[in-house]
Amino acid sequence: MASYKSEKINLLNRLSRIEGQVRGLQNMIEDEKYCVDVLTQIAAVKGALNKVGMKILEKHTHGCVKQAVANDQGEEIINELMEVINKFTK
Amino acid sequence: MASYKSEKINLLNRLSRIEGQVRGLQNMIEDEKYCVDVLTQIAAVKGALNKVGMKILEKHTHGCVKQAVANDQGEEIINELMEVINKFTK
Amino acid sequence: MASYKSEKINLLNRLSRIEGQVRGLQNMIEDEKYCVDVLTQIAAVKGALNKVGMKILEKHTHGCVKQAVANDQGEEIINELMEVINKFTK
Amino acid sequence: MASYKSEKINLLNRLSRIEGQVRGLQNMIEDEKYCVDVLTQIAAVKGALNKVGMKILEKHTHGCVKQAVANDQGEEIINELMEVINKFTK
């Protein structure tokens, strides 16, 4: 079971807004809007994606990781967690 | 005129793929896929957005910034460029 | 007790190399080396610091966090972990 | 000539403070301070390095890049600039 289950609607709403922002970016390019305005909007989308990621990371750590530790299967889960944090900080 | 004009189709294609990836993320959440898989996918979308941003930044610097410098209006444009790079490195 | 105890010598060696790199940066500035070479070196130092951070984060999660979860004190420790990851991804 | 010449003393002061912070990190590890405190301090050093980098990037763009554009040698310099920004956003 996914640890973020209680946040599903919140996450889906955020992602639906992000989808809209990406469509907005396509319109900006289509209309040849000024580069810096496009870049500012891209930075905003990245920030919004980061928030979704941090929320899932938090739920994952409170949920899956905690349970794995309780079941003495923490090592592998924590290694996996580190790898995904590594991807995220790049 | 937008400096990225020559890359318009390329950029629109990339953004349309990113839109698809964001929709894919919504499906993953809907289906309660494993947290780490969702996080890996979010990191991929962030990477794809970064590439779009770097392409526009490059075109902007070769285009608008170069022209502004040639017209002795470089200072303001370069300050603006620095601000947007700052947003991007966050 | 610090979770990174077993990595102390490794971490101290890395930090001592980073200290040398920062001194090297001061020499580069003093000698007015080319901007791009200085920036490349700064990026290298940031990368080296990131590696130290990830190593400590890993040890912390395997150590302190695991123990806190085992003692039913996981919530606060995980919130704290999320905050520090948030600082790190910026 | 380095474009950051006018900022030399400012940059050297910042780097000397960063060197002190890295030495402080070694003491924290030596004394086995709490992981999260060490990580918070590492994030602070990364932030301080970023500021030095952004200052040099700004001076470089106002200086070397502007001059190269004026001399019609902008293409190569801008490509180089993009590469270094790419390293920086990672």
Side-chain angles (χ1 to χ4, degrees):
Chain A
M1 201 198 72
S3 302
Y4 53 77
K5 200 173 175 172
S6 67
E7 293 283 336
K8 239 172 111 164
I9 291 168
N10 173 18
L11 291 169
L12 287 171
N13 283 344
R14 282 172 187 266
L15 283 167
S16 149
R17 262 197 307 273
I18 290 170
E19 192 193 327
Q21 285 178 304
V22 175
R23 250 194 316 267
L25 274 169
Q26 287 167 288
N27 293 337
M28 289 179 89
I29 299 284
E30 194 64 79
D31 300 347
E32 299 180 17
K33 295 290 186 208
Y34 182 49
C35 314
V36 170
D37 295 337
V38 181
L39 287 166
T40 301
Q41 185 62 11
I42 292 178
V45 181
K46 272 176 62 185
L49 272 171
N50 247 350
K51 274 188 193 154
V52 171
M54 286 308 292
K55 182 49 88 188
I56 294 174
L57 198 59
E58 186 195 317
K59 288 292 167 184
H60 177 59
T61 313
H62 278 289
C64 310
V65 175
K66 217 168 109 176
Q67 196 175 354
V69 168
N71 298 343
D72 244 335
Q73 301 163 322
E75 297 303 308
E76 207 184 329
I77 290 280
I78 290 175
N79 288 339
E80 191 190 55
L81 179 69
M82 287 306 118
E83 244 175 83
V84 90
I85 290 173
N86 225 335
K87 274 184 209 148
F88 238 81
T89 55
K90 277 195 182 134
Chain B
M1 200 200 73
S3 301
Y4 52 78
K5 200 174 176 171
S6 66
E7 293 282 337
K8 236 172 116 165
I9 291 169
N10 173 18
L11 290 170
L12 287 171
N13 284 343
R14 282 172 186 266
L15 283 168
S16 148
R17 262 198 307 275
I18 290 170
E19 193 193 327
Q21 285 178 305
V22 175
R23 250 194 315 267
L25 274 169
Q26 288 168 287
N27 293 336
M28 289 178 89
I29 299 283
E30 194 64 80
D31 299 347
E32 298 180 17
K33 296 291 186 208
Y34 182 49
C35 315
V36 171
D37 295 337
V38 181
L39 287 167
T40 301
Q41 184 62 10
I42 293 179
V45 180
K46 270 176 63 185
L49 272 171
N50 246 349
K51 275 189 193 152
V52 171
M54 286 309 293
K55 181 51 86 189
I56 294 174
L57 198 59
E58 185 195 317
K59 287 293 165 184
H60 177 60
T61 313
H62 279 290
C64 309
V65 176
K66 218 168 108 175
Q67 196 175 354
V69 168
N71 298 344
D72 244 334
Q73 300 163 324
E75 297 304 308
E76 206 183 330
I77 290 280
I78 290 175
N79 288 338
E80 191 191 56
L81 180 69
M82 286 305 118
E83 243 175 83
V84 90
I85 290 173
N86 225 337
K87 274 184 209 147
F88 238 80
T89 55
K90 279 200 181 127
Chain C
M1 201 197 74
S3 301
Y4 53 76
K5 200 173 175 171
S6 66
E7 293 282 338
K8 240 173 112 165
I9 290 168
N10 173 19
L11 291 169
L12 286 172
N13 284 343
R14 282 172 186 267
L15 283 168
S16 147
R17 262 198 306 275
I18 290 170
E19 192 193 325
Q21 286 179 304
V22 175
R23 251 194 315 267
L25 274 170
Q26 287 167 288
N27 293 336
M28 289 179 89
I29 299 284
E30 193 65 79
D31 299 348
E32 298 180 17
K33 295 291 186 208
Y34 182 49
C35 315
V36 171
D37 295 337
V38 181
L39 287 167
T40 302
Q41 184 61 12
I42 293 178
V45 180
K46 271 176 63 184
L49 272 171
N50 247 348
K51 275 189 192 152
V52 171
M54 286 308 292
K55 181 50 88 187
I56 294 174
L57 198 59
E58 186 196 316
K59 287 292 164 184
H60 177 61
T61 314
H62 279 290
C64 309
V65 176
K66 219 169 107 175
Q67 197 176 353
V69 168
N71 298 343
D72 245 335
Q73 300 163 324
E75 296 304 307
E76 207 184 328
I77 290 280
I78 290 176
N79 288 339
E80 191 191 55
L81 180 69
M82 286 306 117
E83 243 176 83
V84 88
I85 289 173
N86 225 336
K87 275 185 208 147
F88 237 81
T89 54
K90 278 197 181 132
Chain D
M1 200 199 73
S3 301
Y4 53 77
K5 200 174 176 171
S6 66
E7 292 283 336
K8 237 172 114 165
I9 290 169
N10 173 18
L11 292 170
L12 286 171
N13 283 343
R14 281 172 187 267
L15 283 168
S16 147
R17 262 197 307 273
I18 290 170
E19 192 193 326
Q21 285 178 305
V22 175
R23 251 195 315 268
L25 274 169
Q26 288 167 288
N27 293 335
M28 290 178 88
I29 299 284
E30 194 64 81
D31 299 348
E32 298 180 17
K33 296 290 187 208
Y34 182 48
C35 315
V36 171
D37 295 337
V38 181
L39 287 167
T40 301
Q41 184 61 12
I42 292 178
V45 179
K46 272 177 62 184
L49 272 171
N50 246 350
K51 274 188 194 153
V52 171
M54 286 309 292
K55 181 51 86 187
I56 294 174
L57 198 59
E58 185 196 316
K59 287 292 164 184
H60 177 60
T61 313
H62 279 290
C64 309
V65 175
K66 217 169 109 176
Q67 197 176 353
V69 168
N71 298 343
D72 244 335
Q73 300 163 324
E75 296 304 308
E76 205 183 330
I77 289 279
I78 290 175
N79 288 339
E80 191 190 55
L81 180 69
M82 286 305 118
E83 243 175 85
V84 89
I85 290 173
N86 225 335
K87 274 185 208 147
F88 237 81
T89 54
K90 281 204 178 123

